[in-house]
């Protein structure tokens, strides 16, 4: 692979991280609204659990993308 490929890959991954953070914010707002409008305590608890699970999923995706960036950086160093 070429240097340009890894440089572009790093930029693309950073863009994906930014998009994932935006989606996480939207999901958090969505679940907060559901929690606010829930009528029973059990549904509120269920929505809270879903919100936590969804946020954790986004966090795992962001960490994965960060690892891919580190891998691309190390591959770029090896090429130089």
């Amino acid at each position: 692979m070429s240097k340009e490929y890894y440089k572009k890959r790093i930029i693309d991954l950073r863009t994906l991280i930014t998009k994932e953070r935006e989606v996480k914010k939207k999901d958090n707002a969505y679940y907060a609204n559901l929690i606010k409008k829930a009528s029973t305590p059990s549904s509120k608890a269920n929505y809270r659990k879903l919100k936590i699970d969804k946020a954790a999923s986004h966090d795992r995706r962001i960490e994965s993308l960060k690892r891919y960036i580190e891998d691309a950086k190390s591959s770029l160093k090896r090429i130089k």
Side-chain angles (χ1 to χ4, degrees):
M1 304 277 171
S2 66
K3 285 191 243 184
E4 292 77 24
Y5 168 79
Y6 288 112
K7 288 179 183 179
K8 183 181 180 321
R9 178 86 170 132
I10 291 169
I11 292 169
D12 291 344
L13 289 169
R14 287 181 179 154
T15 304
L16 287 174
I17 288 174
T18 303
K19 287 180 183 178
E20 189 69 25
R21 286 183 177 145
E22 290 171 7
V23 171
K24 180 181 175 183
K25 285 180 187 178
K26 287 180 184 178
D27 281 349
N28 279 339
Y30 171 75
Y31 284 110
N33 190 34
L34 287 176
I35 292 166
K36 181 179 163 186
K37 292 183 177 187
S39 58
T40 63
S42 63
S43 62
K44 279 189 180 198
N46 187 39
Y47 288 139
R48 283 189 185 106
K49 183 182 179 310
L50 289 172
K51 181 180 176 184
I52 291 168
D53 291 344
K54 195 68 168 175
S57 172
H58 288 297
D59 289 339
R60 284 191 301 273
R61 173 85 171 127
I62 291 169
E63 289 303 314
S64 173
L65 292 169
K66 286 179 181 179
R67 281 192 303 273
Y68 290 149
I69 288 175
E70 292 303 316
D71 291 343
K73 284 181 180 179
S74 65
S75 297
L76 186 62
K77 286 180 183 177
R78 275 186 264 134
I79 289 176
K80 289 184 177 181

